[in-house]
């Protein structure tokens, strides 16, 4: 079995790795956006909840949260599928970090533009949708890409709940052959390839929505 | 309520093992935080080398260890190296794997901080006749380390949290002991939530310490 | 009936009173300039009038209707007052045209095409039509201010407020903007302009309200305020800043 064969076997898991990564990132984006929007609208009684979510989900290890959800919840009668378990652990943790990325981006908006929008007579929700979110999301691209990469790098945890992604294929192969170094190097190579693809994808989206002179200063 | 008292009794009975696991967690997280800091400074120093070859190799090195998922790196050493006759203990594998990974990240933070330094200041040091190493040691490093305190302490928190994956290579740290506890009485939910709370508590301690450290080392007018 | 009538307006920030019993009025088609040293409360006054800041006491009658009353539709009031800011405050993620159409679409409910047509009309009026596809970062200060004025005029406001419209511009561009404001004046646009630019006040030859320490000290034609006024504070203000600005 040469390196090419190994790569080919592990590549069977690429689809699942990408699926897990995208599903978790999407969960994280939804959670992070909800956090920043709720925080921005200053809805009474939500502030402490948002702070608690942000604090707790950044303090608990991904693996521990994943085990609470996948192995812990069934013990009290709630069964959660492997992919959903990943989304609720890795995804929500990414959401807590993304919420902070978005908060930072919101803080760097120009307060004068927001006053101008208010002076125009736009409603709070209109200002959020037309001014704040479009600008904030553009400013948050580096932070989002960073978090995207982190999610990809934690995606191997999916093997512990039986999702047949790259690392799962690697452990299976490594248990039947004694070629650990090549196998895990090949796995690393595949992750690196996916990372490059993700990055190119994000850059393409960024380019598509690029505005001259915005976000570069 | 009865359930809980039942669980807390088991917790007490299993206490010594849990504490031993906690100790191992702290040992791993603490030692890789130190080695990662030293390694990070070394790697950062190499990225400033005047030899293009050294710079290129260092950059590739950093990219490799940042791009490689930590778990895959640990598996590579733990399950792969024995084929070359190199058998390391779980702790040794975790220690070296984490150190390589963490120093790559720390080097990146230091590089980011370095880019925000005042170029004129470095030129001035050059003009005063300092050598490269002197400039690195007395001008660059003190500033870059201060600027990176938030990122570096954040990395310590990540180290503590990530140390939980060492149980996947049979290092019997805290989370491994929690697994044992859970497997004995089948109270998975309580056991894992308890583990989560312990990590929450430990992270909070680091957060508080980091805030005090930050307040101390920040130079007037130099905070970002 | 005056377009805007202010009676006994008071604003406090904590225990500091920044507006003390302000009275003045603005007729339809009239232009007035509010001047005074920085910190005199002139910008706060402007922001009270469109309720960006809530006054503590007094009345603001907008076409006879007290807009300080509880239940006033503040957003509707703001739609009838065009506001031009010192730092332009253009939306950086929108093109010049989109900056002008935003309120037309979101607030007046115009279709994309109707909004574009109206906006292009205003851009043409400001001589900025060729720059319609540019983003704020690609425009000079003077061009940005023209877009900001077009953005305000597009809503057909009852009155146009200017908050230091020239102070972020270099002298040449600031003269251009002053000429523009003067043109609007002859077109019959009602305007209220806060500034410390004496050139602006003199060129537009509008009635000047002089404020100091939260009070209106005088209201008169600019030339009478400029030449040896009996109030020492006014003499001092124009003596110091008048020479350099004009």
């Amino acid at each position: 079995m040469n390196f090419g064969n190994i790569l080919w076997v592990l590549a069977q898991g690429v689809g699942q790795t990408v699926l897990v990564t995208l599903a978790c990132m999407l969960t994280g984006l939804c959670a992070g956006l909800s956090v920043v929007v709720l925080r921005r609208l200053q809805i009474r009684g939500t502030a402490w909840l948002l702070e608690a979510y942000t604090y707790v989900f950044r303090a608990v290890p991904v693996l521990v949260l994943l085990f609470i959800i996948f192995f812990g919840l069934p013990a009290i009668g709630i069964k959660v599928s492997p992919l959903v378990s990943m989304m609720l652990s890795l995804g929500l943790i990414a959401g807590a970090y993304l919420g902070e990325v978005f908060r930072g981006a919101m803080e760097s908006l120009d307060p004068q533009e927001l006053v101008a929008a208010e002076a125009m007579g736009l409603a709070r929700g209109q200002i959020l949708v037309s001014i704040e979110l479009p600008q904030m999301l553009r400013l948050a691209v580096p932070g989002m890409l960073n978090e995207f990469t982190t999610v990809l790098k934690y995606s191997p945890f999916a093997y512990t709940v039986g999702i047949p992604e790259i690392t799962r294929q690697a452990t299976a192969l490594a248990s039947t052959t004694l070629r650990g170094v090549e196998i895990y190097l090949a796995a690393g190579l595949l992750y690196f390839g996916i990372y490059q693809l993700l990055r190119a994808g994000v850059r393409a989206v960024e380019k598509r929505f690029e505005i001259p002179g915005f976000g570069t200063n | 309520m009865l359930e809980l008292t039942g669980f807390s009794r088991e917790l007490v009975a299993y206490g010594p093992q849990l504490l031993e696991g906690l100790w191992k967690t702290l040992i791993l997280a603490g030692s890789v935080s130190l080695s990662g800091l030293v390694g990070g400074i070394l790697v950062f120093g190499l990225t400033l080398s005047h030899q293009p070859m050294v710079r290129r190799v260092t950059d590739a090195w950093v990219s490799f260890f940042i791009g490689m998922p930590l778990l895959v790196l640990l598996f590579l050493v733990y399950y792969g190296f024995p084929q070359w006759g190199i058998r390391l203990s779980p702790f040794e594998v975790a220690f070296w794997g984490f150190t390589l990974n963490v120093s790559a990240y720390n080097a990146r933070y230091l590089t980011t901080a370095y880019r925000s330094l005042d170029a004129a200041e470095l030129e001035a040091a050059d003009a005063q006749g300092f050598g490269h190493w002197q400039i690195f040691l007395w001008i660059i490093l003190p500033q870059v380390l201060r600027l990176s305190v938030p990122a570096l302490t954040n990395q310590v928190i990540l180290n503590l949290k990530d140390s939980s994956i060492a149980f996947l290579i049979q290092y019997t740290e805290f989370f491994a002991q929690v697994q044992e506890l859970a497997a004995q009485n089948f109270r998975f939910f309580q056991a894992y939530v308890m583990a989560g709370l312990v990590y929450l508590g430990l992270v909070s301690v680091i957060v508080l310490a980091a805030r005090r450290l930050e307040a101390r080392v920040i130079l007037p007018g130099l905070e970002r | 009936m005056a377009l805007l009538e202010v009676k006994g307006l008071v604003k406090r920030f904590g225990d500091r009173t920044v507006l003390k019993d302000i009275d003045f009025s603005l007729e339809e088609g009239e232009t007035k300039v509010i001047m005074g040293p920085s910190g005199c409360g002139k910008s706060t006054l402007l922001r009270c009038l469109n309720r960006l800041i809530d006054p503590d006491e007094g009345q603001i009658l907008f076409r006879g209707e007290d807009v300080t009353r509880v239940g006033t539709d503040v957003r509707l009031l703001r739609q009838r007052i065009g506001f031009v800011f010192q730092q332009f405050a253009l939306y950086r993620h929108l093109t010049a045209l989109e900056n002008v159409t935003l309120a037309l679409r979101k607030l007046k409910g115009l279709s994309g095409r109707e909004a574009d047509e109206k906006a292009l009309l205003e851009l043409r009026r400001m001589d900025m039509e060729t720059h319609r596809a540019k983003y704020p970062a690609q425009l000079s200060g003077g061009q940005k201010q023209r877009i900001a004025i077009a953005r305000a005029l597009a809503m057909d406001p009852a009155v146009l407020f200017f908050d230091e419209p020239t102070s972020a511009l270099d002298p040449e561009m600031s003269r251009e903007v002053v000429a523009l404001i003067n043109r609007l004046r002859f077109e019959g646009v009602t305007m209220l302009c806060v500034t410390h630019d004496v050139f602006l006040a003199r060129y537009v030859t509008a009635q000047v309200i002089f404020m100091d320490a939260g009070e209106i000290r005088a209201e008169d034609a600019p030339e009478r305020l400029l030449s040896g006024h009996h109030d020492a504070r006014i003499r001092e203000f124009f003596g110091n800043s008048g020479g350099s600005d004009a």
Side-chain angles (χ1 to χ4, degrees):
Chain A
M1 194 175 214
N2 62 28
F3 195 70
N5 297 128
I6 292 174
L7 259 178
W8 178 245
V9 174
L10 299 191
Q12 317 289 316
V14 167
Q16 288 289 324
T17 289
V18 170
L19 175 71
V20 167
T21 305
L22 289 180
C24 290
M25 189 60 189
L26 211 62
T27 312
L29 282 174
C30 290
L33 275 176
S34 310
V35 167
V36 80
V37 166
L38 287 175
R39 191 178 275 146
R40 207 69 181 169
L41 295 181
Q42 297 183 318
I43 294 168
R44 200 169 308 159
T46 57
W48 72 272
L49 203 73
L50 299 175
E51 291 308 314
Y53 164 67
T54 305
Y55 191 81
V56 171
F57 279 74
R58 289 191 309 153
V60 176
V62 178
L63 204 57
V64 175
L65 191 57
L66 176 63
F67 277 36
I68 290 178
I69 290 164
F70 189 74
F71 298 109
L73 287 182
I76 57 168
I78 306 165
K79 208 157 161 29
V80 188
S81 79
L83 184 62
V84 174
S85 301
M86 284 302 288
M87 287 159 72
L88 292 181
S89 52
L90 181 54
L92 288 183
I93 286 174
Y97 280 99
L98 283 170
E100 291 301 276
V101 168
F102 293 156
R103 186 212 298 252
M106 278 288 193
E107 275 166 10
S108 61
L109 298 189
D110 179 4
Q112 294 193 65
E113 285 176 45
L114 304 180
V115 173
E118 233 183 298
M120 224 180 217
L122 289 170
R124 191 67 198 83
Q126 289 176 317
I127 297 176
L128 193 72
V129 171
S130 302
I131 316 283
E132 291 176 304
L133 288 180
Q135 294 203 3
M136 181 281 280
L137 284 171
R138 286 184 172 89
L139 293 173
V141 167
M144 285 194 277
L145 181 59
N146 208 10
E147 196 50 41
F148 214 156
T149 317
T150 305
V151 168
L152 172 66
K153 274 183 294 182
Y154 280 114
S155 73
F157 291 174
Y159 103 88
T160 63
V161 293
I163 295 176
E165 44 69 75
I166 296 173
T167 306
R168 174 90 183 175
Q169 309 286 350
T171 51
L173 194 60
S175 64
T176 55
T177 64
L178 277 176
R179 309 278 295 276
V181 173
E182 292 96 320
I183 291 170
Y184 290 110
L185 263 182
L189 209 62
L190 289 175
Y191 281 107
F192 187 71
I194 297 173
Y195 163 66
Q196 293 295 341
L197 276 178
L198 288 182
R199 204 171 69 154
V202 172
R203 290 263 181 270
V205 172
E206 189 185 17
K207 196 106 194 127
R208 163 77 184 69
F209 291 101
E210 193 179 36
I211 286 169
F214 180 77
T216 48
N217 44 354
Chain B
M1 216 50 226
L2 259 175
E3 261 269 275
L4 203 75
T5 38
F7 179 68
S8 50
R9 201 176 307 127
E10 282 153 19
L11 214 55
V12 173
Y14 211 75
Q17 283 98 317
L18 287 176
L19 282 180
E20 196 200 318
L22 198 58
W23 176 244
K24 285 187 161 183
T25 287
L26 293 176
I27 290 287
L28 179 61
S31 58
V32 301
S33 292
L34 274 179
S35 63
L37 181 61
V38 174
I41 292 172
L42 284 178
V43 174
F44 166 63
L46 288 174
T47 62
L48 298 181
S49 165
H50 286 257
Q51 278 159 308
M53 197 55 205
V54 175
R55 275 206 310 270
R56 220 168 298 144
V57 170
T58 317
D59 284 339
W61 172 276
V62 170
S63 296
F64 178 80
F65 286 107
I66 282 187
M68 183 89 153
L70 182 55
L71 186 62
V72 176
L73 179 62
L74 295 184
F75 280 2
L76 190 149
V77 180
Y78 190 68
Y79 294 114
F81 278 22
Q83 82 193 52
W84 293 334
I86 305 171
R87 279 172 206 285
L88 301 173
S89 72
F91 177 78
E92 288 167 326
V93 173
F95 177 80
W96 289 111
F98 269 85
T99 299
L100 290 170
N101 175 276
V102 174
S103 24
Y105 273 100
N106 283 345
R108 272 278 161 89
Y109 305 143
L110 296 175
T111 305
T112 308
Y114 173 73
R115 293 210 183 102
S116 72
L117 287 192
D118 185 2
E121 209 176 296
L122 302 180
E123 212 180 359
D126 235 351
Q128 271 193 303
F130 285 110
H132 295 313
W133 274 103
Q134 288 170 315
I135 293 178
F136 179 71
L137 217 53
W138 306 121
I139 315 282
I140 296 176
L141 210 49
Q143 296 195 49
V144 158
L145 280 176
R146 277 193 176 86
L147 288 171
S148 310
V149 163
L152 294 172
T153 52
N154 193 44
Q155 185 62 44
V156 173
I157 293 175
L158 290 178
N159 295 344
L160 174 72
K161 291 198 296 173
D162 285 345
S163 71
S164 60
I165 73 177
F167 99 85
L168 294 172
I169 53 163
Q170 281 74 50
Y171 178 59
T172 51
E173 44 69 78
F174 178 65
F175 197 47
Q177 298 289 1
V178 172
Q179 309 272 355
E180 289 288 316
L181 169 73
Q184 278 185 4
N185 60 25
F186 295 104
R187 279 195 249 268
F188 290 97
F189 186 71
Q190 289 92 328
Y192 291 143
V193 168
M194 182 273 294
L197 290 175
V198 168
Y199 282 104
L200 189 66
L202 291 175
V203 166
S204 301
V205 172
I206 304 178
V207 167
L208 288 178
R211 277 196 200 141
R212 297 186 63 166
L213 181 67
E214 257 175 69
R216 232 185 197 192
V217 300
I218 251 140
L219 295 176
L222 247 186
E223 59 265 39
R224 286 191 292 184
Chain C
M1 191 199 312
L3 173 78
L4 201 59
E5 204 175 342
V6 179
K7 292 180 186 167
L9 201 71
V10 174
K11 177 65 196 172
R12 298 182 200 91
F13 288 126
D15 48 4
R16 216 162 47 85
T17 307
V18 287
L19 294 178
K20 300 170 189 161
D21 200 19
I22 300 287
D23 290 289
F24 79 94
S25 66
L26 185 71
E27 299 295 324
E28 302 265 2
E30 191 185 21
T31 293
K32 278 190 179 171
V33 172
I34 305 176
M35 300 191 79
S38 45
C40 71
K42 53 192 194 296
S43 284
T44 307
L45 173 60
L46 210 58
R47 282 165 172 73
C48 279
L49 298 182
N50 75 347
R51 299 280 308 275
L52 278 176
I53 296 174
D54 282 323
D56 293 312
E57 288 168 34
Q59 287 186 314
I60 300 165
L61 302 180
F62 189 88
R63 288 186 170 148
E65 189 190 332
D66 184 4
V67 294
T68 60
R69 264 200 353 255
V70 193
T72 302
D73 187 343
V74 178
R75 289 181 43 215
L76 194 66
L77 171 71
R78 289 176 187 163
Q79 288 173 40
R80 292 152 79 188
I81 299 176
F83 207 116
V84 178
F85 292 83
Q86 175 180 3
Q87 302 286 349
F88 329 120
L90 292 181
Y91 308 126
R92 290 173 294 168
H93 66 301
L94 300 179
T95 61
L97 182 67
E98 288 164 344
N99 261 282
V100 183
T101 55
L102 181 73
L104 292 171
R105 286 185 293 115
K106 302 282 170 186
L107 298 173
K108 286 216 162 153
L110 296 192
S111 72
R113 241 187 64 205
E114 291 168 328
D116 281 357
E117 270 173 30
K118 172 72 174 150
L120 283 172
L121 200 76
E122 296 300 339
L123 287 176
R124 210 170 298 142
R125 194 168 164 198
M126 290 296 118
D127 208 12
M128 287 298 293
E129 201 188 357
T130 49
H131 299 285
R132 60 179 177 267
K134 287 191 182 162
Y135 286 94
Q138 299 169 306
L139 298 167
S140 74
Q143 292 172 329
K144 281 188 220 176
Q145 198 57 299
R146 283 160 180 262
I147 302 290
I149 295 171
R151 181 172 77 176
L153 283 173
M155 292 292 283
D156 295 322
V159 55
L160 210 50
F161 284 4
F162 290 89
D163 184 17
E164 304 274 10
T166 57
S167 58
L169 300 172
D170 63 42
E172 196 183 332
M173 286 182 180
S174 112
R175 260 149 228 251
E176 256 179 54
V177 168
V178 168
L180 198 67
I181 293 173
N182 201 39
R183 207 183 82 204
L184 292 175
R185 193 183 163 216
F186 287 118
E187 288 175 16
V189 178
T190 314
M191 290 183 284
L192 190 58
C193 180
V194 161
T195 186
H196 64 258
D197 182 349
V198 179
F199 174 75
L200 192 157
R202 241 202 310 217
Y203 193 93
V204 180
T205 61
Q207 191 83 341
V208 173
I209 295 172
F210 185 84
M211 279 182 73
D212 187 33
E215 288 175 300
I216 293 184
R217 296 289 284 254
E219 183 172 345
D220 215 333
E223 56 276 7
R224 271 203 287 266
L225 288 173
L226 273 161
S227 53
H229 199 269
H230 59 84
D231 188 326
R233 285 292 291 156
I234 297 177
R235 272 204 312 276
E236 190 190 330
F237 176 78
F238 288 108
N240 287 344
S241 69
S244 59
D245 273 28

